Amino acid sequence: MDIKFTDDLLVGVDSIDTQHKELIGIINNLLNAINRGDGKDEVEKVVAFLKRYVETHFSMEETLMKRIKYPTDKYLEHERQHTDFWEKYNELINQYKKDPRSPLLVTTIKNVLVGWFTNHVNKTDKAIGAFVRKK
Ligand SMILES: [Fe+2]
């Protein structure tokens, strides 16, 4: 049931693509940990790791956009989507904390995270790749 990273998700900027692959791996670890019924401590370790990784990843992208002089409106829209991610993420974590054994949780986390990721990569991160290639 693992999520697969497929080539159609490639942005064309190595630093971004490498981290995206890694992110999918961490999301898989989280889903598997919850699915297996791992203890709260175990799951929270993966949650904390995912949080740190996403923070690092978002700031890497934001630094890159500044470095390549990405248009301000696009930069701000991109940053806004990153902020939206944290809202969705916190909501999911709260749901987990309230009801760690909820049978719907894994599907919900999977749908929300994968939905956000696919949409963001295809529409927003790929625009960075296109901008870099155009330069
Ligand atoms: Fe992004």
Side-chain angles (χ1 to χ4, degrees):
M1 71 156 272
D2 274 7
I3 307 155
K4 295 263 182 290
F5 186 95
T6 47
D7 281 354
D8 58 298
L9 285 169
L10 289 170
V11 165
V13 178
D14 284 348
S15 53
I16 297 180
D17 290 327
T18 307
Q19 292 192 356
H20 281 168
K21 284 179 194 161
E22 188 75 24
L23 265 176
I24 294 285
I26 304 167
I27 293 173
N28 281 328
N29 291 342
L30 175 64
L31 295 172
N32 289 326
I34 299 174
N35 229 2
R36 278 195 304 265
D38 281 6
K40 230 171 142 246
D41 287 358
E42 293 304 308
V43 173
E44 271 167 18
K45 260 184 221 163
V46 188
V47 166
F49 187 74
L50 177 64
K51 184 168 186 265
R52 279 199 306 274
Y53 199 88
V54 174
E55 280 167 351
T56 307
H57 175 62
F58 284 175
S59 58
M60 184 278 280
E61 281 187 358
E62 288 163 13
T63 306
L64 174 76
M65 285 188 277
K66 284 181 192 152
R67 187 159 55 77
I68 61 174
K69 306 222 175 337
Y70 204 55
T72 308
D73 56 333
K74 284 187 168 186
Y75 174 89
L76 291 173
E77 168 58 20
H78 199 134
E79 195 185 43
R80 194 188 60 76
Q81 287 190 24
H82 286 169
T83 308
D84 284 349
F85 171 86
W86 291 118
E87 273 169 36
K88 288 198 161 69
Y89 176 88
N90 288 330
E91 216 173 282
L92 292 171
I93 300 308
N94 288 337
Q95 261 175 269
Y96 170 77
K97 283 181 181 159
K98 249 185 259 163
D99 189 5
R101 298 262 175 268
S102 158
L104 269 177
L105 196 64
V106 172
T107 327
T108 309
I109 294 179
K110 189 174 173 177
N111 290 344
V112 173
L113 292 187
V114 174
W116 184 90
F117 182 80
T118 312
N119 189 48
H120 180 77
V121 169
N122 280 324
K123 289 192 183 143
T124 311
D125 290 340
K126 278 184 182 175
I128 300 179
F131 183 81
V132 169
R133 281 188 294 279
K134 208 177 62 191
K135 277 193 112 183

